[in-house]
Amino acid sequence: MKEPARILLIDDQKSVAEVLGALLKCCNATLDYAPDGTRGLQRVKQQRPDLIFLDIMMPGLDGYAVCRYLKEDPETRDIPVVFLSAGQDKDVTRGREAGGDFFIGKPFVSREIVEVFERFVTNAD
């Protein structure tokens, strides 16, 4: 049996982790959670996730700063980063400028999460 995909969620709302974790169980994936950008960057270094879901508005380092850091580091630049935000079109533009690979609005629907997982993890194999 194939190893489960490693997914990291960096979001200051624990409830998002609960929903995302339940959705990803059907995709042969495990979810790790970090409640802020600093701890998220630490987790990336520790576990090397296959995909990162990243909130934009968080205390401390915001999602844009976290994404820029990840994309500037040769060891992490190839990890897909999917922004999750209740924001607006300007957030999508700023997310792309920071190096984000995709954007999903909050509240999200389960189909979007599964499609993104398939696009960046399943089809990447």
Side-chain angles (χ1 to χ4, degrees):
M1 184 172 175
K2 186 178 173 189
E3 288 274 321
R6 295 175 316 275
I7 310 300
L8 175 62
L9 169 66
I10 306 172
D11 193 313
D12 59 333
Q13 295 180 344
K14 180 78 173 164
S15 60
V16 176
E18 293 165 1
V19 172
L20 203 55
L23 289 173
L24 291 170
K25 281 185 181 178
C26 71
C27 298
N28 191 30
T30 60
L31 181 70
D32 192 15
Y33 170 71
D36 60 57
T38 301
R39 285 184 269 188
L41 290 172
Q42 292 169 349
R43 294 267 169 89
V44 169
K45 293 290 186 178
Q46 294 168 351
Q47 76 164 17
R48 291 281 187 236
D50 298 304
L51 175 65
I52 298 169
F53 287 100
L54 179 60
D55 187 27
I56 292 175
M57 300 304 294
M58 296 182 290
L61 288 176
D62 68 16
Y64 303 124
V66 171
C67 187
R68 279 192 298 275
Y69 180 85
L70 292 168
K71 295 303 182 176
E72 290 171 359
D73 185 336
E75 293 183 18
T76 58
R77 75 170 52 137
D78 293 331
I79 301 171
V81 174
V82 176
F83 281 107
L84 296 175
S85 180
Q88 304 163 354
D89 290 342
K90 67 180 175 75
D91 291 334
V92 176
T93 301
R94 287 187 67 198
R96 285 190 184 124
E97 290 169 353
D101 296 285
F102 203 78
F103 185 95
I104 295 178
K106 288 182 184 176
F108 52 82
V109 294
S110 57
R111 183 187 83 252
E112 291 176 303
I113 298 299
V114 172
E115 287 174 357
V116 164
F117 176 83
E118 290 174 349
R119 175 180 177 181
F120 289 106
V121 178
T122 306
N123 292 334
D125 295 339

